[in-house]
Amino acid sequence: MTRNLTDEEVLAAVSLQDEARDESGPELIILDKPLEWKGEQFTELHLREPLTAQVLFASKVMGKRATVVTVRDAQLDLVARIARWPAAAIGLLPVSVQDRAILYVTEFEANARRPMDETPDRTPELRLTFDPAIEAVGRSHVEMTLREPVGVQRRRYEVTCERGTPEAALQAEINLVGDVSEWSMAAVLKMPISKFARAADYLTGFFIPGPRTGPTSRQS
């Protein structure tokens, strides 16, 4: 049985991890000219690798289908979530700054996804390690063990995909990773997007020959 994740569930999954984050971030973009919005001044963007939940939220912005406009809207939404800027303020940035920020936050997934011409990895088992550990539901998750999905897990994936939206495509992968790894949904949502993309590509590689591309990894 498929189940849609509510916004409240996703927010609850990442709230504690967000609070613990180092606000400096590994990527700093300093604006040439401060940006003013509603009496507040913005001078720099602090960016880091997105969590799976943040990419899922951003995918909602695309609605029923991905277009040049909706994909860029989703990418900018992801930048806003990571930088913790108001979305309206992100919209006022020079396009060159927007493009630099988009490239940074989306490359984590894009670089982790399987290339179009690469044969899927169908080894009997894939293990992913996490340092620092992912804390969720009172547990520390240090290692994820994956293997070939079974029929009911594939069916759940395909039923979710049939909704035909970019959000559904990503949620189907989230369900599949959670089902096979037996991790809680909260823990899967807290995965760095690069590790999640690798896990999802490995699992879908058993029944989908081509690459699996996340909804916000497509560049505009």
Side-chain angles (χ1 to χ4, degrees), residues 10-219:
V10 179
L11 284 172
V14 299
S15 60
L16 293 179
Q17 185 141 326
D18 278 349
E19 290 170 4
R21 287 169 55 194
D22 176 4
E23 285 300 316
S24 61
E27 174 73 357
L28 173 64
I29 299 177
I30 300 176
L31 304 184
D32 293 333
K33 180 181 178 181
L35 188 152
E36 300 281 345
W37 184 79
K38 288 193 173 182
E40 190 173 356
Q41 189 176 83
F42 298 86
T43 60
E44 54 192 33
L45 288 164
H46 294 277
L47 302 172
R48 60 175 57 248
E49 180 173 1
L51 301 179
T52 301
Q54 292 169 322
V55 178
L56 178 63
F57 260 133
S59 72
K60 296 174 183 285
V61 174
M62 281 182 278
K64 293 184 177 180
R65 68 188 185 96
T67 67
V68 170
V69 173
T70 63
V71 167
R72 187 172 179 85
D73 285 346
Q75 292 169 335
L76 292 173
D77 181 84
L78 184 60
V79 171
R81 291 181 186 281
I82 295 171
R84 296 189 176 186
W85 276 39
I90 293 291
L92 297 176
L93 286 169
V95 292
S96 60
V97 176
Q98 288 184 342
D99 289 347
R100 178 181 168 186
I102 287 171
L103 183 63
Y104 180 80
V105 300
T106 59
E107 273 199 327
F108 290 97
E109 181 179 3
N111 291 339
R113 289 288 180 174
R114 184 172 64 248
M116 183 73 70
D117 58 352
E118 184 175 298
T119 301
D121 175 10
R122 292 181 176 173
T123 53
E125 184 176 272
L126 175 67
R127 292 190 179 187
L128 301 176
T129 58
F130 297 85
D131 184 17
I134 294 176
E135 305 292 337
V137 198
R139 289 183 54 197
S140 292
H141 298 74
V142 178
E143 184 176 84
M144 172 180 280
T145 301
L146 301 169
R147 35 80 185 152
E148 182 177 356
V150 298
V152 292
Q153 293 165 342
R154 175 178 177 170
R155 187 178 190 281
R156 185 185 185 203
Y157 168 89
E158 292 175 340
V159 167
T160 304
C161 280
E162 280 187 343
R163 298 207 304 272
T165 66
E167 177 192 354
L170 182 55
Q171 185 171 310
E173 290 187 331
I174 291 170
N175 292 343
L176 185 63
V177 172
D179 287 346
V180 177
S181 68
E182 298 184 346
W183 277 30
S184 69
M185 191 61 65
V188 174
L189 291 170
K190 285 185 177 182
M191 290 175 67
I193 192 61
S194 60
K195 288 287 185 74
F196 171 80
R198 187 180 174 197
D201 270 7
Y202 169 75
L203 296 176
T204 58
F206 284 99
F207 53 87
I208 296 177
R212 306 304 306 144
T213 52
T216 59
S217 69
R218 302 184 181 92
Q219 299 299 303

